[in-house]
């Protein structure tokens, strides 16, 4: 059974940084797609970042490119999302997510995931 448990959310001022972590179990990272999506109140879900094809490829939404970085520590079964230069519009619930498709499932150029955790709140204030 796949389990995902994200953490690291919180409140930060604009321009600050946060690092989200996601511990996973029961999941073969090398054969799937993992990443993060977020959802803000009244807005559509947005795929933020993904790492796939056995870790050879990464994806970032245009809105976070150059500011966010996805990585993993395979020895600890943990995935990270380093978020720098945070903006108010980054405020959302962030979900650690995974999919069995090694190359991710893409919808309108964004990754879609079949599994996700309970989410962690990120709030950026000005």
């Amino acid at each position: 059974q796949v389990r995902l448990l994200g953490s690291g959310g919180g409140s930060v001022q604009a321009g600050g940084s946060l690092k989200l972590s996601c511990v996973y179990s029961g999941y073969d990272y090398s054969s799937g797609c993992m990443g993060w999506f977020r959802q803000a109140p009244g807005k559509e879900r947005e795929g933020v970042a993904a790492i796939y094809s056995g870790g050879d490829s990464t994806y970032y939404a245009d809105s976070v490119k150059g500011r966010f970085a996805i990585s993993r520590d395979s020895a600890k079964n943990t995935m990270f999302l380093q978020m720098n230069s945070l903006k108010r519009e980054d405020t959302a619930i962030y979900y650690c997510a995974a999919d069995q498709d090694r190359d991710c499932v893409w919808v309108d150029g964004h990754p879609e995931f079949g599994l996700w955790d309970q989410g962690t709140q990120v709030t950026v204030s000005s």
Side-chain angles (χ1 to χ4, degrees):
Q1 182 180 3
V2 177
R3 289 189 174 183
L4 306 168
L5 183 60
S7 61
S11 297
V12 65
Q13 288 196 323
S17 299
L18 281 173
K19 187 172 185 177
L20 304 183
S21 300
C22 176
V23 178
Y24 56 91
S25 61
Y27 182 76
D28 182 2
Y29 169 85
S30 65
S31 64
C33 166
M34 293 194 74
W36 303 83
F37 69 87
R38 66 187 181 187
Q39 187 153 30
K43 293 190 176 181
E44 300 242 339
R45 192 165 77 175
E46 177 187 25
V48 172
I51 185 165
Y52 58 103
S53 296
D56 291 339
S57 300
T58 56
Y59 158 89
Y60 296 98
D62 287 343
S63 56
V64 307
K65 207 170 286 184
R67 301 188 297 121
F68 289 15
I70 189 170
S71 63
R72 70 181 182 99
D73 182 339
S74 57
K76 296 181 179 180
N77 278 9
T78 304
M79 179 178 63
F80 303 99
L81 184 68
Q82 177 67 48
M83 306 186 294
N84 299 325
S85 302
L86 283 161
K87 305 175 181 180
R88 285 190 65 183
E89 50 265 41
D90 294 319
T91 296
I93 298 175
Y94 284 71
Y95 297 86
C96 165
D99 196 89
Q100 300 294 340
D101 192 308
R102 185 174 186 269
D103 297 317
C104 294
V105 175
W106 301 91
V107 178
D108 295 331
H110 299 283
E112 290 282 331
F113 304 95
L115 304 164
W116 53 88
D117 72 342
Q118 79 288 349
T120 186
Q121 177 70 46
V122 171
T123 302
V124 184
S125 58
S126 57

